[in-house]
Amino acid sequence: MFVERASRLAGAVVWRNAPERDGTGRVLPDGCMDLLWHEGRLMVAGPDTRAYVTDGATGTWAGIRFYPGTAPALLGVPAHELRDRRVELADLWPASEVRRLAARVNAAPDPASGLEDLALRQAAGADPPDPLLRHVVTALDAGRPVAAIADELGLGPRQLLRRSLTAFGYGPKTLARILRLRRALALARDGVPFADTAARAGYADQAHLARDVKELAGLPLGELLARRG
């Protein structure tokens, strides 16, 4: 069973997942990075460019999903170094510190709240999120062209690309595709016909939507919706 809620950390989401049966799962790209807990271990999920197929590991998982572009400042590692990867937190931070933090999370009333407290402490000691990055996410999610966003921010295309790689793990065009996919899936899950979903989400046509869903999610749109159901 999967449940989530808004975090006390701005823009973040706290979640918990206790699969009711064994089997593989599918995590769709969303432009975010997550701090994870599983069986007492702390891990980091980097930004995905394609659906991440889980191995069906049993037991409870908990996580905090950071707003796009905000995790690198908290974790101290550029997002592109973790692209399409799941790594132990001890691979990024000193092992002794991770053991201490894991013990604190394990002692919390529930691991999700423990992760949230850990993230809040990290955020308190870090620089505030770059407002430029939130502008990039908001503008891309509204369907604005990358070149227009760069002009608005007074950045050259290469500057925007470099900052995007550090913050998001990939360039703004890839982030735009992922955010467009999320918009389309939200519409389709609400029962909007596929042709209308394509038009409203910003695709050229329904065939374009179908190709993008298959490439990014790994399944045809209809099958993806059926599995969600």
Side-chain angles (χ1 to χ4, degrees):
M1 180 178 173
F2 180 86
V3 294
E4 65 180 17
R5 62 170 173 81
S7 171
R8 289 175 286 148
L9 180 65
V13 173
V14 177
W15 58 267
R16 182 178 183 276
N17 189 26
E20 297 177 354
R21 59 182 183 276
D22 296 345
T24 59
R26 187 173 300 267
V27 180
L28 302 184
D30 57 10
C32 302
M33 294 173 60
D34 293 54
L35 181 62
L36 308 173
W37 176 94
H38 179 60
E39 296 184 345
R41 296 159 50 211
L42 297 179
M43 292 164 280
V44 176
D48 294 321
T49 59
R50 300 288 186 275
Y52 179 82
V53 179
T54 66
D55 61 6
T58 57
T60 298
W61 289 79
I64 180 166
R65 185 184 316 122
F66 300 105
Y67 187 82
T70 61
L74 302 182
L75 299 175
V77 60
H80 64 82
E81 293 187 7
L82 301 177
R83 183 172 54 234
D84 294 320
R85 297 176 62 199
R86 304 295 188 270
V87 302
E88 299 283 343
L89 186 60
D91 292 339
L92 307 178
W93 294 357
S96 59
E97 180 182 359
V98 173
R99 285 194 296 270
R100 177 179 61 80
L101 294 173
R104 183 176 291 181
V105 172
N106 293 334
D110 69 88
S113 65
L115 287 175
E116 183 178 30
D117 289 341
L118 191 164
L120 286 165
R121 287 193 297 271
Q122 284 296 116
D127 292 333
D130 185 350
L132 178 149
L133 300 176
R134 185 172 288 269
H135 179 89
V136 171
V137 175
T138 302
L140 289 174
D141 201 24
R144 300 270 296 150
V146 172
I149 296 171
D151 287 343
E152 291 168 3
L153 297 172
L155 298 175
R158 291 184 180 180
Q159 289 177 301
L160 181 57
L161 175 60
R162 285 196 298 270
R163 294 179 76 159
S164 295
L165 288 173
T166 298
F168 308 121
Y170 28 64
K173 291 185 178 179
T174 298
L175 179 58
R177 282 186 74 200
I178 289 170
L179 295 176
R180 183 176 60 186
L181 172 71
R182 307 296 295 190
R183 294 196 303 273
L185 291 178
L187 290 167
R189 285 168 179 154
D190 282 343
V192 177
F194 290 174
D196 292 341
T197 288
R200 290 170 58 180
Y203 292 91
D205 52 30
Q206 186 175 334
H208 183 199
L209 166 65
R211 289 193 303 271
D212 232 38
V213 171
K214 184 68 180 295
E215 184 173 347
L216 293 176
L219 293 172
L221 179 55
E223 184 177 346
L224 189 64
L225 295 177
R227 288 193 177 201
R228 173 66 177 248

